[in-house]
Amino acid sequence: MIKTEKVLHLRSCKGKSVRVVREHYLRESVPCNSSLCQAECHNEGKLLSESATHYVIPDWKVVQDYLEILEFPELRGIVFMQTACQAVQHQKGRRCIYYATVWYYNHLAGLMPVVMVTEDAEAIQKYGSETDGVFVVSFKSYLENFWPDLEAVHQLYESIVQSRKERECENQEKNGKEYLEHLAVEILEAGIKSGRYIQGVLNVNKHRSQLEAFVRMQGLTNKKSELEMDILIYGAKARNRAIQGDVVAVELLPRNEWKGRVSVLCENESEEKATEETESEPMATGRVVGIIQRNWRDYVASFPPKEDIQSQGKNTRKILVTPWDYRIPRIRISTQQAESLQDCRIIVRIDSWDSTSLYPNGHFVKVLGKAGDLETEVAAILVENSISVSPFSEAQVREMPVNTPENPWKIGAEEQGQRVDLRSTHLVFSIDPKDCEDVDDALSVRKLANENLELGVHIADVTHFVKLNSYTDLEARSRATTCYLADRRYDMLPTILSADLCSLLGGADRYAVSVMWELDKTNYEVLKVWFGRTIIKSAYKMFYEAAQALLDGDLSVMADITELKGLDEKDKHKIMNDLIWAIEKLTEIARHTRAKRALGGALELEGIELRVQLDEKKNISDLVPKQPLEVHETVAECMILANHWVAKKITENLPHQALLRRHPPPQQEFFTELVDCAKAKGFEIDTRSNKALADSLDMAEDPDDAQVNKLLRSMATQAMSNAVYFSTGSCSEDEFYHYGLALEKYTHFTSPIRRYADIVVHRLLMAAIMKDKKLEPEDSLLSNKDLTELCQHINNKNRAAQRVQKQSIELFQCMYFKDKDPSDERYTADGIIYSIRANGVLVFVPRYGIKAPAFLKNKEGLVISAQLDGSCVWKPGSLKRLRDKIISSTVNGESVTFSLFDHITVRISEHSSRSHPDSIKLDIISNQPCNTASTEPTHEASHTSKTDLVQDVIRSAEEAQLAQEHAKNTSIRIEDKEYCQTQGNSLYSLLEEIKELALLDVTVG
């Protein structure tokens, strides 16, 4: 470092000039990151593109105003000076950037022309011809002369310039205010601290986006227990320019102004015209008084129809575009392309929203493609969820190992000496979905010399290839997760790792991180556990259906196991016997570990997983719900066991720096619909604890209709809070608990190929192992603060990836039913009513995994009526909603009742929207069940047998526990006889129960 002095002339509070001298340090060696370097700079990682014809250096104003243009991949050879990045905050430093540009040109010995772009006319005049080879031009001139054919860049430049001009004009105009001004940050902070204002995140109801939004409170204390539900923000004025996702400050309205949620089913396009409203009980209602943090992002939008544009006048450039997301208000942009891009989806960004404007102002960014095309709609889903799918950079690819036929990858001699080699001692195999490429995990089980069992879970050692803070690591951290869509996936890691060297493929030598337990031969209790790095060779890469078939004794699937091909029959049968024994033993172990968790309150919840079947031309041939198999539970239980033990290990050795995953208990009010629905069938659902909930869900079985229990479990799933990653240093230990799995400590360790959290946990596990050996860890550990921030980032990215997966499935559902003949029997299906609304019902269609509304009153005011054969028609009449049913009565005195859990016949169709995502539309065509059961996939037998087996194991475990307690109670101590101590609950435990019940009553009230 070179020490220099920086002289500042500051003005004191009395107006006097004060000379201040400060130490200023400069780096002696600044890498130029150019392949043309003549000074032998120490350039590591990224280099400027070799295809660049010139280098361009923007000043701070260009970086601030046109950064999204500089992000275009076509613009190469861009150098950002540190001065420019810092000056964006302070708005100064143009002269420094020019001198740095000259230095850079001279450093490269004039081998490459360098262009400095600026919006300062004086700088262009002063420096434009000062140095040969260094050009100083305006940004507009640069784009016109160097990139004349990049139409998208010029359109974006014009859009940004026009947006800035309009903002300046609006600031000068003194129009009347449409909204109240936001309070200053200092007032908001003081108000939140005193309790006058409440801080939270705005969440808009997409079905009534003009009227209803809710604020989920942050950091609420017990003093406000009456407000433990969300706060309703009713109407656009009360929302006061807040947009979905913004962190806002809310002021509660007086109780006499509180409103209830609207229970009418609503089609989004017509919701502003809806006049009939039925409100629930009033809830806390407030208004937004300030924005604490804006969370604006890129928005997918569409232009209005031509007639709407023409009605605004021929000379106008201002257009209101409609966002793809119902929850986002229309955005005013300036463009002349509205008519030419009528059928396209575009990306826009919001620039401002002044109190004088009804709508936010923004600018056009780029065209996504034609609305309705598969690639356009997939791109829209990714943009809406801020998922980046750009290719991996050259710098990241250069870090990757090589594995080609000419230069195959091999196990290193040094690594072999540092790892436990399991290739010749353990039968290791994987069980995954068909066509799975990113195989994270493999399993092994064997009998030891002492007759005990050894269970092994072997996980891909991704951290061997992805070093901390490498370019690949930073990219994986940014992406945080592999993103799975219905027909494709976007990997977190480059393909050479995700589908090859890290993937535990059959017959390939691979590095792994293993957890191995010694289990008691009779009750499968854990006696010992070992963690460490290993070398494995997976013998078989099986898919779930094949493993289940072997478990069921069906040997016909041998032909589907690639590794068995070419072997003679004798060898095949010997191998199959070993493999079947291993799968059966794994299943036994999984049943017992599952039963043990069930005793503690583990929940068996129900989710809808849909598989899209594509033909050779990538057209959708069918939608098939994933069928539950016992082998799914077997693999999942082994992964849960590994995650749990790794969580215990890293927490024990790194108590304040471990990354865990917790699942907070759900709020009791979220169970209201579940409890009410169960009552309609005569079932009582106890939600006071996870154990009580699990037991009551097990009891809620309708012998005549298996779908009832599935729906109740699905509703319980909907009521759950989200599981989240966290740093152990940021929470007390009683908050570590995982409600759904009933485990004191839990983390994610088993999927490092597709989850960055698992990569972090692998590094923590290695650090914990090194600590046991009293050695320094290989990688530096994150502080609690940094780990907490990383967890928040991963949580956000995980939720985004889950939304992308859900929305892509909905997209394919709509595409499957689009433009189909309504008479096709495939589009008539059995539906089950699971919720009652004021003007319709919510229906679940098991065949296609669809949940959607079905209206009992149409837009003309007619209600549904059933004829003698059950077929439904529309007639004049009225609806009467009760707690568990709704009655449709015609003016002629006819009536039909739809009750919870009734089976009805629905016709499925696709509802197209010009601006928003398409949706599924259900029409009730009969109040009788649909008689097409034979066409639906049925795999209930294996699932039922699995459930029965697990319940048997649970019962035997409970009986053993009761026997132990009985034996303990019969050996009465002398003290008990002498002092007559109570053998039941102590007074302390009774008081604790009363306390919990009292708190529960307050919450419900």
Side-chain angles (χ1 to χ4, degrees), residues 116-147:
M116 173 182 165
V117 289
T118 178
E119 293 295 273
D120 187 347
E122 290 183 15
I124 295 171
Q125 187 174 2
K126 182 176 180 180
Y127 303 122
S129 57
E130 188 170 297
T131 306
D132 289 339
V134 176
F135 304 90
V136 183
V137 298
S138 70
F139 195 47
K140 182 179 182 181
S141 174
Y142 171 73
L143 295 177
E144 288 175 346
N145 289 287
F146 286 84
W147 306 99

Side-chain angles (χ1 to χ4, degrees), residues 881-1004:
R881 178 193 179 188
L882 301 174
R883 183 177 61 84
D884 58 351
K885 59 188 173 184
I886 185 169
I887 302 170
S888 175
S889 304
T890 67
V891 292
N892 298 329
E894 304 165 350
S895 68
V896 58
T897 301
F898 295 90
S899 302
L900 285 172
F901 300 109
D902 277 357
H903 284 250
I904 57 176
T905 302
V906 294
R907 180 181 293 116
I908 309 167
S909 58
E910 177 256 4
H911 175 66
S912 296
S913 170
R914 176 185 177 80
S915 304
H916 305 291
D918 295 343
S919 58
I920 290 293
K921 184 171 181 282
L922 298 182
D923 291 306
I924 300 174
I925 59 174
S926 172
N927 67 343
Q928 301 298 315
C930 182
N931 190 23
T932 57
S934 59
T935 65
E936 298 183 12
T938 54
H939 294 275
E940 296 298 323
S942 62
H943 181 57
T944 305
S945 62
K946 176 214 71 171
T947 305
D948 292 343
L949 286 166
V950 171
Q951 292 299 330
D952 288 343
V953 174
I954 293 172
R955 277 195 293 273
S956 63
E958 285 176 335
E959 288 168 4
Q961 191 176 36
L962 287 171
Q964 287 177 1
E965 289 176 0
H966 178 71
K968 185 179 177 182
N969 290 336
T970 53
S971 57
I972 304 173
R973 297 172 299 165
I974 298 172
E975 290 88 345
D976 294 338
K977 288 184 176 180
E978 185 174 349
Y979 300 109
C980 299
Q981 289 181 326
T982 306
Q983 293 300 308
N985 288 338
S986 67
L987 179 60
Y988 172 77
S989 61
L990 288 171
L991 288 171
E992 283 295 301
E993 283 188 24
I994 293 168
K995 176 184 169 187
E996 287 179 11
L997 288 170
L999 289 173
L1000 186 65
D1001 291 340
V1002 169
T1003 306
V1004 174

Side-chain angles (χ1 to χ4, degrees), residues 489-521:
R489 74 171 194 268
Y490 294 101
D491 289 327
M492 181 182 77
L493 296 172
T495 305
I496 183 66
L497 296 184
S498 63
D500 190 0
L501 294 183
C502 287
S503 187
L504 306 182
L505 304 173
D509 294 338
R510 290 292 181 259
Y511 293 142
V513 179
S514 301
V515 185
M516 293 191 284
W517 301 265
E518 182 179 340
L519 305 177
D520 184 275
K521 60 188 174 187

Side-chain angles (χ1 to χ4, degrees), residues 682-745:
F683 301 125
E684 291 291 330
I685 302 293
D686 185 350
T687 63
R688 286 179 296 176
S689 69
N690 53 357
K691 174 65 174 166
L693 177 61
D695 290 344
S696 52
L697 284 172
D698 287 341
M699 297 292 291
E701 289 276 2
D702 186 338
D704 299 323
D705 189 356
Q707 292 294 339
V708 170
N709 189 261
K710 285 188 175 184
L711 269 172
L712 290 175
R713 290 184 187 277
S714 176
M715 294 170 76
T717 305
Q718 293 294 319
M720 293 293 137
S721 51
N722 291 322
V724 292
Y725 298 109
F726 70 101
S727 168
T728 50
S730 63
C731 295
S732 59
E733 194 161 345
D734 59 349
E735 294 179 275
F736 292 5
Y737 187 66
H738 197 292
Y739 179 89
L741 297 176
L743 293 172
E744 296 297 327
K745 294 182 182 71

Side-chain angles (χ1 to χ4, degrees), residues 9-141:
H9 294 277
L10 306 176
R11 194 169 295 279
S12 69
C13 57
K14 295 182 179 180
K16 292 183 179 180
S17 180
V18 180
R19 184 174 182 269
V20 179
V21 180
R22 290 180 180 166
E23 291 182 351
H24 192 59
Y25 292 89
L26 302 175
R27 286 178 290 171
E28 294 183 62
S29 175
V30 180
C32 64
N33 296 101
S34 171
S35 58
L36 301 174
C37 179
Q38 304 296 302
E40 298 183 356
C41 285
H42 189 60
N43 294 317
E44 290 184 345
K46 285 188 177 181
L47 293 176
L48 289 163
S49 174
E50 294 182 6
S51 63
T53 58
H54 62 279
Y55 293 153
V56 58
I57 300 178
D59 79 345
W60 71 268
K61 186 66 174 168
V62 173
V63 173
Q64 176 181 270
D65 292 343
Y66 303 108
L67 183 60
E68 54 203 304
I69 294 179
L70 298 173
E71 291 172 354
F72 270 71
E74 292 86 352
L75 273 63
R76 298 180 177 180
I78 301 174
V79 180
F80 291 95
M81 294 295 175
Q82 187 175 349
T83 309
C85 298
Q86 292 174 341
V88 166
Q89 298 176 331
H90 307 294
Q91 300 190 359
K92 60 183 180 182
R94 187 168 286 122
R95 188 179 64 169
C96 298
I97 295 170
Y98 173 72
Y99 289 135
T101 305
V102 173
W103 172 87
Y104 197 76
Y105 174 75
N106 293 327
H107 176 80
L108 299 177
L111 295 175
M112 178 71 77
V114 182
V115 181
M116 173 182 165
V117 289
T118 178
E119 293 295 273
D120 187 347
E122 290 183 15
I124 295 171
Q125 187 174 2
K126 182 176 180 180
Y127 303 122
S129 57
E130 188 170 297
T131 306
D132 289 339
V134 176
F135 304 90
V136 183
V137 298
S138 70
F139 195 47
K140 182 179 182 181
S141 174

Side-chain angles (χ1 to χ4, degrees), residues 782-844:
L782 293 173
S783 66
N784 174 54
K785 180 177 179 293
D786 291 339
L787 186 56
T788 299
E789 290 177 359
L790 177 60
C791 288
Q792 188 57 51
H793 166 72
I794 296 173
N795 289 332
N796 292 338
K797 285 292 186 179
N798 277 355
R799 283 192 288 269
Q802 289 164 5
R803 289 194 300 268
V804 164
Q805 187 172 21
K806 178 175 178 288
Q807 289 167 2
S808 77
I809 288 172
E810 290 169 353
L811 168 64
F812 274 85
Q813 285 175 332
C814 291
M815 293 183 74
Y816 181 68
F817 292 107
K818 191 169 189 174
D819 301 328
K820 293 293 191 298
D821 183 358
S823 62
D824 191 328
E825 67 172 16
R826 287 179 296 172
Y827 311 117
T828 301
D830 189 62
I832 306 154
I833 297 171
Y834 69 92
S835 188
I836 306 293
R837 293 292 187 265
N839 60 338
V841 292
L842 297 180
V843 178
F844 172 55

Side-chain angles (χ1 to χ4, degrees), residues 456-640:
V457 171
H458 314 280
I459 307 300
D461 189 359
V462 172
T463 56
H464 171 79
F465 298 99
V466 180
K467 300 302 181 186
L468 180 66
N469 292 330
S470 63
Y471 288 110
T472 307
D473 181 55
L474 295 175
E475 180 65 21
R477 183 185 304 182
S478 174
R479 298 188 183 204
T481 180
T482 292
C483 197
Y484 292 91
L485 280 73
D487 66 329
R488 67 192 78 182
R489 74 171 194 268
Y490 294 101
D491 289 327
M492 181 182 77
L493 296 172
T495 305
I496 183 66
L497 296 184
S498 63
D500 190 0
L501 294 183
C502 287
S503 187
L504 306 182
L505 304 173
D509 294 338
R510 290 292 181 259
Y511 293 142
V513 179
S514 301
V515 185
M516 293 191 284
W517 301 265
E518 182 179 340
L519 305 177
D520 184 275
K521 60 188 174 187
T522 54
N523 59 15
Y524 301 125
E525 288 296 313
V526 174
L527 303 177
K528 294 179 186 174
V529 62
W530 178 87
F531 306 90
R533 281 187 153 133
T534 56
I535 300 173
I536 66 167
K537 185 174 186 177
S538 177
Y540 312 105
K541 179 178 177 289
M542 286 187 292
F543 53 92
Y544 284 116
E545 290 78 7
Q548 184 65 51
L550 293 178
L551 189 62
D552 296 339
D554 180 5
L555 300 183
S556 64
V557 295
M558 285 197 298
D560 296 326
I561 301 176
T562 308
E563 293 81 2
L564 295 178
K565 291 177 180 176
L567 298 176
D568 59 43
E569 289 301 314
K570 185 178 178 182
D571 289 340
K572 268 188 189 178
H573 282 286
K574 182 182 181 306
I575 289 170
M576 289 307 297
N577 289 336
D578 292 342
L579 193 55
I580 291 169
W581 178 88
I583 295 172
E584 288 176 345
K585 195 55 67 177
L586 283 174
T587 304
E588 280 183 42
I589 295 168
R591 287 173 189 163
H592 278 77
T593 55
R594 174 73 180 87
K596 189 175 178 181
R597 287 195 304 106
L599 284 173
L603 295 168
E604 185 179 339
L605 299 174
E606 186 78 21
I608 302 168
E609 288 190 56
L610 198 68
R611 191 172 77 250
V612 177
Q613 288 188 350
L614 303 175
D615 59 22
E616 293 177 357
K617 296 181 180 179
K618 297 293 182 181
N619 295 318
I620 309 164
S621 59
D622 202 357
L623 300 172
V624 183
K626 180 181 174 182
Q627 300 304 320
L629 304 171
E630 183 173 12
V631 74
H632 289 147
E633 297 291 338
T634 298
V635 175
E637 204 59 47
C638 292
M639 298 305 115
I640 290 169

